[in-house]
Amino acid sequence: MSLPSQFKEENYENILIYHYVEELVSDFSNYSIENFSDDDITLTELPFLLRIRFVDKSTQKDLVRLFNVSDGYTAKLLRRFEDKGFITRHEDPENRRRKIVRLTDKGCKKTDEILDYINTWEELRRANLSDDEFKTLKKLLFKLLSDD
């Protein structure tokens, strides 16, 4: 990954977290453009399917809020996932008007493929880090994003 010229080791503490995140997102995007090819799901849809996998009770409204997209777009995307056999929608017993979205076995297999792809990119990015440094990075990122 080649960093912009303003990224220098002697000033790394002065660089905003935003810029580090921006560079990582850009690097993943470039990696994806070069390496990701799937007839069943696009790069834009990928975060939705992964979020459904890792959240216990995901609803259409939750996805709308999280990704800041319209109800219509999300409904259309969920219908596409249903048609592909990746998800099912079930009535929420606590609120019959809400539908809980869950992955099917096929959806789990698809997200396993996606996670393998993401893990490959992550391994490339962490090549300069020891196992302890990588664990520390993840611990610090978790801490940074935690509400506590």
Side-chain angles (χ1 to χ4, degrees):
M1 183 168 153
S2 107
L3 293 171
S5 60
Q6 71 268 27
F7 282 74
K8 294 182 176 38
E9 193 164 351
E10 60 268 11
N11 77 336
Y12 76 92
E13 292 175 333
N14 298 324
I15 298 170
L16 297 172
I17 294 170
Y18 166 84
H19 288 110
Y20 287 116
V21 171
E22 185 180 56
E23 289 300 318
L24 283 169
V25 169
S26 175
D27 184 70
F28 181 74
S29 178
N30 290 335
Y31 174 81
S32 297
I33 289 167
E34 294 172 11
N35 298 288
F36 185 78
S37 176
D38 192 311
D39 294 334
D40 291 325
I41 187 168
T42 68
L43 284 171
T44 308
E45 298 167 345
L46 187 144
F48 286 84
L49 202 57
L50 287 176
R51 180 56 66 147
I52 294 166
R53 174 165 180 166
F54 292 111
V55 174
D56 288 334
K57 282 187 170 185
S58 192
T59 67
Q60 182 172 322
K61 285 287 186 203
D62 294 336
L63 295 168
V64 166
R65 280 191 298 273
L66 176 68
F67 293 107
N68 197 27
V69 294
S70 71
D71 281 319
Y73 174 79
T74 305
K76 191 168 142 180
L77 181 59
L78 292 178
R79 170 59 62 199
R80 186 165 147 26
F81 287 166
E82 264 182 324
D83 292 346
K84 296 249 179 213
F86 295 151
I87 65 161
T88 57
R89 291 189 252 191
H90 303 280
E91 190 176 277
D92 183 346
E94 296 169 15
N95 180 346
R96 297 177 59 198
R97 292 183 296 164
R98 272 193 329 199
K99 300 286 185 195
I100 296 175
V101 182
R102 290 205 172 92
L103 285 184
T104 62
D105 288 342
K106 184 177 179 180
C108 284
K109 286 178 186 158
K110 179 55 70 179
T111 55
D112 284 344
E113 292 170 17
I114 293 166
L115 291 170
D116 285 344
Y117 163 78
I118 292 171
N119 283 326
T120 300
W121 172 80
E122 198 170 281
E123 287 296 320
L124 292 170
R125 291 287 34 100
R126 69 166 279 195
N128 294 332
L129 300 175
S130 69
D131 288 343
D132 285 341
E133 288 172 323
F134 190 59
K135 286 177 187 175
T136 299
L137 173 63
K138 284 191 169 188
K139 183 177 183 179
L140 291 171
L141 288 169
F142 180 82
K143 192 173 187 177
L144 184 68
L145 295 171
S146 295
D147 290 336
D148 299 337

PDB file of all heavy atoms in Angstrom, residues 17-30:
ATOM      1  N   ILE A  17      -7.183   9.973  12.591  1.00  0.00           N
ATOM      2  CA  ILE A  17      -7.687   8.604  12.442  1.00  0.00           C
ATOM      3  C   ILE A  17      -8.506   8.505  11.154  1.00  0.00           C
ATOM      4  O   ILE A  17      -8.424   7.518  10.420  1.00  0.00           O
ATOM      5  CB  ILE A  17      -8.531   8.190  13.666  1.00  0.00           C
ATOM      6  CG1 ILE A  17      -7.656   8.103  14.904  1.00  0.00           C
ATOM      7  CG2 ILE A  17      -9.237   6.856  13.412  1.00  0.00           C
ATOM      8  CD1 ILE A  17      -8.445   7.947  16.198  1.00  0.00           C
ATOM      9  N   TYR A  18      -9.277   9.532  10.886  1.00  0.00           N
ATOM     10  CA  TYR A  18     -10.087   9.579   9.664  1.00  0.00           C
ATOM     11  C   TYR A  18      -9.240   9.256   8.436  1.00  0.00           C
ATOM     12  O   TYR A  18      -9.649   8.490   7.564  1.00  0.00           O
ATOM     13  CB  TYR A  18     -10.728  10.966   9.523  1.00  0.00           C
ATOM     14  CG  TYR A  18     -11.302  11.210   8.156  1.00  0.00           C
ATOM     15  CD1 TYR A  18     -12.576  10.770   7.840  1.00  0.00           C
ATOM     16  CD2 TYR A  18     -10.560  11.838   7.163  1.00  0.00           C
ATOM     17  CE1 TYR A  18     -13.109  10.958   6.579  1.00  0.00           C
ATOM     18  CE2 TYR A  18     -11.072  12.037   5.903  1.00  0.00           C
ATOM     19  CZ  TYR A  18     -12.345  11.593   5.610  1.00  0.00           C
ATOM     20  OH  TYR A  18     -12.852  11.772   4.349  1.00  0.00           O
ATOM     21  N   HIS A  19      -8.050   9.854   8.344  1.00  0.00           N
ATOM     22  CA  HIS A  19      -7.210   9.638   7.170  1.00  0.00           C
ATOM     23  C   HIS A  19      -6.685   8.210   7.092  1.00  0.00           C
ATOM     24  O   HIS A  19      -6.578   7.641   6.007  1.00  0.00           O
ATOM     25  CB  HIS A  19      -6.054  10.652   7.148  1.00  0.00           C
ATOM     26  CG  HIS A  19      -6.514  12.031   6.825  1.00  0.00           C
ATOM     27  ND1 HIS A  19      -6.520  13.041   7.759  1.00  0.00           N
ATOM     28  CD2 HIS A  19      -7.033  12.557   5.702  1.00  0.00           C
ATOM     29  CE1 HIS A  19      -6.994  14.137   7.204  1.00  0.00           C
ATOM     30  NE2 HIS A  19      -7.325  13.864   5.960  1.00  0.00           N
ATOM     31  N   TYR A  20      -6.375   7.623   8.242  1.00  0.00           N
ATOM     32  CA  TYR A  20      -5.958   6.218   8.231  1.00  0.00           C
ATOM     33  C   TYR A  20      -7.104   5.324   7.751  1.00  0.00           C
ATOM     34  O   TYR A  20      -6.905   4.430   6.924  1.00  0.00           O
ATOM     35  CB  TYR A  20      -5.505   5.765   9.630  1.00  0.00           C
ATOM     36  CG  TYR A  20      -4.175   6.325  10.061  1.00  0.00           C
ATOM     37  CD1 TYR A  20      -4.085   7.180  11.149  1.00  0.00           C
ATOM     38  CD2 TYR A  20      -3.004   5.979   9.401  1.00  0.00           C
ATOM     39  CE1 TYR A  20      -2.860   7.685  11.565  1.00  0.00           C
ATOM     40  CE2 TYR A  20      -1.777   6.481   9.807  1.00  0.00           C
ATOM     41  CZ  TYR A  20      -1.708   7.335  10.883  1.00  0.00           C
ATOM     42  OH  TYR A  20      -0.500   7.824  11.285  1.00  0.00           O
ATOM     43  N   VAL A  21      -8.291   5.571   8.270  1.00  0.00           N
ATOM     44  CA  VAL A  21      -9.461   4.788   7.866  1.00  0.00           C
ATOM     45  C   VAL A  21      -9.739   4.989   6.375  1.00  0.00           C
ATOM     46  O   VAL A  21     -10.007   4.028   5.649  1.00  0.00           O
ATOM     47  CB  VAL A  21     -10.696   5.160   8.725  1.00  0.00           C
ATOM     48  CG1 VAL A  21     -11.957   4.513   8.182  1.00  0.00           C
ATOM     49  CG2 VAL A  21     -10.466   4.774  10.183  1.00  0.00           C
ATOM     50  N   GLU A  22      -9.656   6.227   5.931  1.00  0.00           N
ATOM     51  CA  GLU A  22      -9.881   6.537   4.517  1.00  0.00           C
ATOM     52  C   GLU A  22      -8.912   5.752   3.623  1.00  0.00           C
ATOM     53  O   GLU A  22      -9.308   5.203   2.585  1.00  0.00           O
ATOM     54  CB  GLU A  22      -9.699   8.043   4.311  1.00  0.00           C
ATOM     55  CG  GLU A  22     -10.011   8.531   2.931  1.00  0.00           C
ATOM     56  CD  GLU A  22      -9.799  10.034   2.841  1.00  0.00           C
ATOM     57  OE1 GLU A  22      -8.685  10.518   3.148  1.00  0.00           O
ATOM     58  OE2 GLU A  22     -10.760  10.724   2.466  1.00  0.00           O
ATOM     59  N   GLU A  23      -7.655   5.681   4.012  1.00  0.00           N
ATOM     60  CA  GLU A  23      -6.658   4.948   3.227  1.00  0.00           C
ATOM     61  C   GLU A  23      -6.944   3.449   3.222  1.00  0.00           C
ATOM     62  O   GLU A  23      -6.805   2.789   2.194  1.00  0.00           O
ATOM     63  CB  GLU A  23      -5.242   5.220   3.749  1.00  0.00           C
ATOM     64  CG  GLU A  23      -4.749   6.617   3.464  1.00  0.00           C
ATOM     65  CD  GLU A  23      -4.685   6.954   1.991  1.00  0.00           C
ATOM     66  OE1 GLU A  23      -4.245   6.097   1.176  1.00  0.00           O
ATOM     67  OE2 GLU A  23      -5.081   8.073   1.626  1.00  0.00           O
ATOM     68  N   LEU A  24      -7.344   2.910   4.369  1.00  0.00           N
ATOM     69  CA  LEU A  24      -7.679   1.483   4.429  1.00  0.00           C
ATOM     70  C   LEU A  24      -8.892   1.157   3.567  1.00  0.00           C
ATOM     71  O   LEU A  24      -8.902   0.155   2.841  1.00  0.00           O
ATOM     72  CB  LEU A  24      -7.920   1.055   5.876  1.00  0.00           C
ATOM     73  CG  LEU A  24      -6.677   0.865   6.722  1.00  0.00           C
ATOM     74  CD1 LEU A  24      -7.045   0.713   8.192  1.00  0.00           C
ATOM     75  CD2 LEU A  24      -5.890  -0.344   6.248  1.00  0.00           C
ATOM     76  N   VAL A  25      -9.909   2.005   3.644  1.00  0.00           N
ATOM     77  CA  VAL A  25     -11.111   1.787   2.829  1.00  0.00           C
ATOM     78  C   VAL A  25     -10.760   1.856   1.350  1.00  0.00           C
ATOM     79  O   VAL A  25     -11.199   1.029   0.546  1.00  0.00           O
ATOM     80  CB  VAL A  25     -12.218   2.797   3.200  1.00  0.00           C
ATOM     81  CG1 VAL A  25     -13.351   2.769   2.188  1.00  0.00           C
ATOM     82  CG2 VAL A  25     -12.739   2.519   4.602  1.00  0.00           C
ATOM     83  N   SER A  26      -9.946   2.826   0.976  1.00  0.00           N
ATOM     84  CA  SER A  26      -9.522   2.962  -0.415  1.00  0.00           C
ATOM     85  C   SER A  26      -8.724   1.741  -0.860  1.00  0.00           C
ATOM     86  O   SER A  26      -8.923   1.214  -1.965  1.00  0.00           O
ATOM     87  CB  SER A  26      -8.681   4.230  -0.571  1.00  0.00           C
ATOM     88  OG  SER A  26      -8.169   4.330  -1.874  1.00  0.00           O
ATOM     89  N   ASP A  27      -7.825   1.262  -0.013  1.00  0.00           N
ATOM     90  CA  ASP A  27      -7.025   0.091  -0.340  1.00  0.00           C
ATOM     91  C   ASP A  27      -7.911  -1.144  -0.518  1.00  0.00           C
ATOM     92  O   ASP A  27      -7.740  -1.911  -1.464  1.00  0.00           O
ATOM     93  CB  ASP A  27      -5.982  -0.164   0.750  1.00  0.00           C
ATOM     94  CG  ASP A  27      -5.063  -1.311   0.396  1.00  0.00           C
ATOM     95  OD1 ASP A  27      -4.245  -1.134  -0.534  1.00  0.00           O
ATOM     96  OD2 ASP A  27      -5.181  -2.377   1.032  1.00  0.00           O
ATOM     97  N   PHE A  28      -8.892  -1.322   0.388  1.00  0.00           N
ATOM     98  CA  PHE A  28      -9.801  -2.464   0.262  1.00  0.00           C
ATOM     99  C   PHE A  28     -10.626  -2.342  -1.016  1.00  0.00           C
ATOM    100  O   PHE A  28     -10.833  -3.330  -1.723  1.00  0.00           O
ATOM    101  CB  PHE A  28     -10.720  -2.581   1.480  1.00  0.00           C
ATOM    102  CG  PHE A  28     -11.644  -3.755   1.396  1.00  0.00           C
ATOM    103  CD1 PHE A  28     -11.173  -5.038   1.590  1.00  0.00           C
ATOM    104  CD2 PHE A  28     -12.984  -3.579   1.102  1.00  0.00           C
ATOM    105  CE1 PHE A  28     -12.008  -6.140   1.485  1.00  0.00           C
ATOM    106  CE2 PHE A  28     -13.837  -4.671   1.002  1.00  0.00           C
ATOM    107  CZ  PHE A  28     -13.340  -5.956   1.195  1.00  0.00           C
ATOM    108  N   SER A  29     -11.063  -1.142  -1.319  1.00  0.00           N
ATOM    109  CA  SER A  29     -11.837  -0.920  -2.539  1.00  0.00           C
ATOM    110  C   SER A  29     -11.016  -1.282  -3.781  1.00  0.00           C
ATOM    111  O   SER A  29     -11.508  -1.968  -4.681  1.00  0.00           O
ATOM    112  CB  SER A  29     -12.293   0.537  -2.601  1.00  0.00           C
ATOM    113  OG  SER A  29     -12.994   0.783  -3.783  1.00  0.00           O
ATOM    114  N   ASN A  30      -9.778  -0.829  -3.830  1.00  0.00           N
ATOM    115  CA  ASN A  30      -8.916  -1.157  -4.970  1.00  0.00           C
ATOM    116  C   ASN A  30      -8.648  -2.654  -5.052  1.00  0.00           C
ATOM    117  O   ASN A  30      -8.682  -3.240  -6.137  1.00  0.00           O
ATOM    118  CB  ASN A  30      -7.594  -0.395  -4.871  1.00  0.00           C
ATOM    119  CG  ASN A  30      -7.775   1.084  -5.101  1.00  0.00           C
ATOM    120  OD1 ASN A  30      -8.716   1.523  -5.751  1.00  0.00           O
ATOM    121  ND2 ASN A  30      -6.889   1.882  -4.532  1.00  0.00           N
TER     122      ASN A  30
END
